[in-house]
Amino acid sequence: MSLEVNISNRKMKTSLIFSFILLNLSIFAQSERPIKAGIGLIAPKNPYQYTLSKKPSDIYIDSTLKDTVPSINVKPYRFKPDYGVYHFICLKQTPKYFKLLINNKEVGYVKNDSLYNFQVWDSVLIGSTIERISKSNRLKSKPQSNSNLVNYPCKFDIFTVLELKQINNEFWLKVSFTDDCNPYPSLKGKQTVGWILWQKNNEILIETLLGC
């Protein structure tokens, strides 16, 4: 078999691998983008008990924690039942409660107790695998809007998050990728790093491909 055919087959195989990974790791998210990025993610400790039809009954309409919200209004920010992903965006944490987005715009409250886990964005994102929501969010050489562009040769986005940095009101991620576009760490080629914005004007600009 010629070298050209081998290279062509390898590229085709890699493309199919990417398609398979993105298909299986994609997360059912809200159809509309959330109005705020919040301070992190909150999830029930036992997410496997919830489905599209069965939703949490312990989300309250206000901080008095007396009356619950109608379950029909509850739509998590990220939902992938086979991965145990049932995440809401957390807006505020107090000793008594967590304030969260129960869908893309409505607010709810849950008790700050042993039934929920909370992670700040740093903990969620460091080491995670992400993609950009829009390719117009260009990869930069430095965490600066006017810095040089970094070439990204791959058809699909699969970035590994190395670092978070906030500069004024810009929220940046330092990410790495491989020049051979191979998704498996054991087969990595030359590693390249760059910076992308992950949040701007309270809008989330990336998606995570794996549950935190």
Side-chain angles (χ1 to χ4, degrees), residues 56-62 64-71 73-74 102 108-109:
S57 59
D58 58 349
I59 301 178
Y60 298 87
I61 61 174
D62 58 37
T64 63
L65 305 178
K66 292 180 179 179
D67 299 316
T68 57
V69 303
S71 62
N73 294 348
V74 177
I102 62 171
Y109 298 78

Short mmCIF file of all heavy atoms in Angstrom, two decimals, residues 56-62 64-71 73-74 102 108-109:
data_model
loop_
_atom_site.label_atom_id
_atom_site.label_comp_id
_atom_site.label_asym_id
_atom_site.label_seq_id
_atom_site.Cartn_x
_atom_site.Cartn_y
_atom_site.Cartn_z
N PRO A 56 -35.94 17.54 39.61
CA PRO A 56 -35.85 17.80 41.05
C PRO A 56 -37.09 18.51 41.59
O PRO A 56 -37.66 19.39 40.94
CB PRO A 56 -34.62 18.72 41.16
CG PRO A 56 -33.82 18.43 39.95
CD PRO A 56 -34.81 18.12 38.87
N SER A 57 -37.50 18.11 42.78
CA SER A 57 -38.68 18.71 43.42
C SER A 57 -38.28 19.60 44.60
O SER A 57 -39.15 20.06 45.36
CB SER A 57 -39.64 17.62 43.91
OG SER A 57 -38.98 16.76 44.83
N ASP A 58 -36.98 19.83 44.76
CA ASP A 58 -36.50 20.62 45.91
C ASP A 58 -35.85 21.93 45.47
O ASP A 58 -34.94 22.43 46.12
CB ASP A 58 -35.51 19.80 46.74
CG ASP A 58 -34.30 19.33 45.93
OD1 ASP A 58 -34.33 19.46 44.68
OD2 ASP A 58 -33.35 18.83 46.54
N ILE A 59 -36.33 22.49 44.36
CA ILE A 59 -35.87 23.80 43.90
C ILE A 59 -36.95 24.83 44.25
O ILE A 59 -38.12 24.66 43.89
CB ILE A 59 -35.58 23.81 42.40
CG1 ILE A 59 -34.50 22.76 42.07
CG2 ILE A 59 -35.11 25.20 41.94
CD1 ILE A 59 -34.18 22.66 40.59
N TYR A 60 -36.55 25.89 44.92
CA TYR A 60 -37.51 26.85 45.47
C TYR A 60 -37.53 28.15 44.66
O TYR A 60 -36.57 28.49 43.97
CB TYR A 60 -37.17 27.14 46.93
CG TYR A 60 -37.24 25.91 47.81
CD1 TYR A 60 -36.13 25.07 47.95
CD2 TYR A 60 -38.41 25.58 48.47
CE1 TYR A 60 -36.20 23.92 48.75
CE2 TYR A 60 -38.49 24.44 49.27
CZ TYR A 60 -37.38 23.62 49.40
OH TYR A 60 -37.45 22.49 50.17
N ILE A 61 -38.65 28.89 44.81
CA ILE A 61 -38.83 30.10 44.00
C ILE A 61 -38.06 31.30 44.55
O ILE A 61 -37.77 32.24 43.82
CB ILE A 61 -40.33 30.47 43.87
CG1 ILE A 61 -40.94 30.74 45.24
CG2 ILE A 61 -41.08 29.36 43.15
CD1 ILE A 61 -42.38 31.26 45.19
N ASP A 62 -37.74 31.27 45.86
CA ASP A 62 -36.99 32.38 46.44
C ASP A 62 -36.15 31.88 47.62
O ASP A 62 -36.18 30.69 47.98
CB ASP A 62 -37.91 33.53 46.86
CG ASP A 62 -38.99 33.11 47.87
OD1 ASP A 62 -38.68 32.28 48.75
OD2 ASP A 62 -40.12 33.60 47.78
N THR A 64 -36.44 32.17 50.72
CA THR A 64 -37.09 31.69 51.94
C THR A 64 -37.17 30.16 51.96
O THR A 64 -37.40 29.57 53.02
CB THR A 64 -38.51 32.26 52.07
OG1 THR A 64 -39.31 31.80 50.98
CG2 THR A 64 -38.47 33.79 52.08
N LEU A 65 -37.00 29.55 50.82
CA LEU A 65 -36.97 28.08 50.67
C LEU A 65 -38.27 27.43 51.18
O LEU A 65 -38.26 26.39 51.84
CB LEU A 65 -35.77 27.50 51.42
CG LEU A 65 -34.39 28.08 51.05
CD1 LEU A 65 -33.31 27.45 51.91
CD2 LEU A 65 -34.09 27.88 49.58
N LYS A 66 -39.39 28.05 50.80
CA LYS A 66 -40.69 27.53 51.22
C LYS A 66 -41.46 26.92 50.06
O LYS A 66 -41.93 25.78 50.14
CB LYS A 66 -41.51 28.64 51.89
CG LYS A 66 -40.95 29.11 53.22
CD LYS A 66 -41.82 30.20 53.83
CE LYS A 66 -41.26 30.66 55.18
NZ LYS A 66 -42.08 31.75 55.78
N ASP A 67 -41.67 27.68 49.00
CA ASP A 67 -42.46 27.21 47.86
C ASP A 67 -41.55 26.78 46.72
O ASP A 67 -40.60 27.49 46.36
CB ASP A 67 -43.41 28.32 47.38
CG ASP A 67 -44.38 28.76 48.47
OD1 ASP A 67 -44.93 27.87 49.15
OD2 ASP A 67 -44.57 29.98 48.65
N THR A 68 -41.85 25.63 46.14
CA THR A 68 -41.01 25.10 45.07
C THR A 68 -41.48 25.57 43.70
O THR A 68 -42.65 25.94 43.52
CB THR A 68 -41.01 23.55 45.10
OG1 THR A 68 -42.35 23.07 45.00
CG2 THR A 68 -40.36 23.04 46.38
N VAL A 69 -40.58 25.55 42.76
CA VAL A 69 -40.91 25.95 41.38
C VAL A 69 -41.59 24.79 40.66
O VAL A 69 -41.33 23.62 40.98
CB VAL A 69 -39.64 26.39 40.61
CG1 VAL A 69 -38.93 27.53 41.31
CG2 VAL A 69 -38.68 25.22 40.42
N PRO A 70 -42.45 25.06 39.70
CA PRO A 70 -43.06 23.98 38.91
C PRO A 70 -41.97 23.22 38.15
O PRO A 70 -41.09 23.82 37.53
CB PRO A 70 -43.99 24.72 37.96
CG PRO A 70 -44.22 26.06 38.59
CD PRO A 70 -42.97 26.39 39.32
N SER A 71 -42.03 21.91 38.18
CA SER A 71 -40.98 21.10 37.55
C SER A 71 -40.91 21.33 36.04
O SER A 71 -39.85 21.15 35.44
CB SER A 71 -41.22 19.62 37.84
OG SER A 71 -42.46 19.19 37.30
N ASN A 73 -40.75 24.01 34.57
CA ASN A 73 -39.84 25.13 34.30
C ASN A 73 -38.37 24.74 34.42
O ASN A 73 -37.49 25.52 34.05
CB ASN A 73 -40.12 26.28 35.27
CG ASN A 73 -41.47 26.91 35.06
OD1 ASN A 73 -42.13 26.65 34.06
ND2 ASN A 73 -41.90 27.73 36.00
N VAL A 74 -38.10 23.56 34.96
CA VAL A 74 -36.72 23.16 35.24
C VAL A 74 -36.09 22.52 34.01
O VAL A 74 -36.58 21.51 33.49
CB VAL A 74 -36.67 22.18 36.43
CG1 VAL A 74 -35.24 21.70 36.66
CG2 VAL A 74 -37.22 22.82 37.69
N ILE A 102 -32.53 27.96 36.72
CA ILE A 102 -33.23 26.68 36.54
C ILE A 102 -33.50 26.40 35.06
O ILE A 102 -33.88 25.30 34.69
CB ILE A 102 -34.54 26.65 37.33
CG1 ILE A 102 -35.50 27.76 36.86
CG2 ILE A 102 -34.25 26.76 38.81
CD1 ILE A 102 -36.89 27.63 37.47
N GLY A 108 -33.81 30.06 40.54
CA GLY A 108 -34.34 29.21 41.59
C GLY A 108 -33.32 29.10 42.72
O GLY A 108 -32.20 29.61 42.63
N TYR A 109 -33.71 28.41 43.79
CA TYR A 109 -32.85 28.28 44.97
C TYR A 109 -32.90 26.83 45.48
O TYR A 109 -33.97 26.20 45.47
CB TYR A 109 -33.32 29.21 46.09
CG TYR A 109 -33.25 30.67 45.73
CD1 TYR A 109 -34.24 31.26 44.92
CD2 TYR A 109 -32.22 31.49 46.19
CE1 TYR A 109 -34.19 32.60 44.58
CE2 TYR A 109 -32.17 32.83 45.85
CZ TYR A 109 -33.15 33.38 45.05
OH TYR A 109 -33.11 34.71 44.71
#
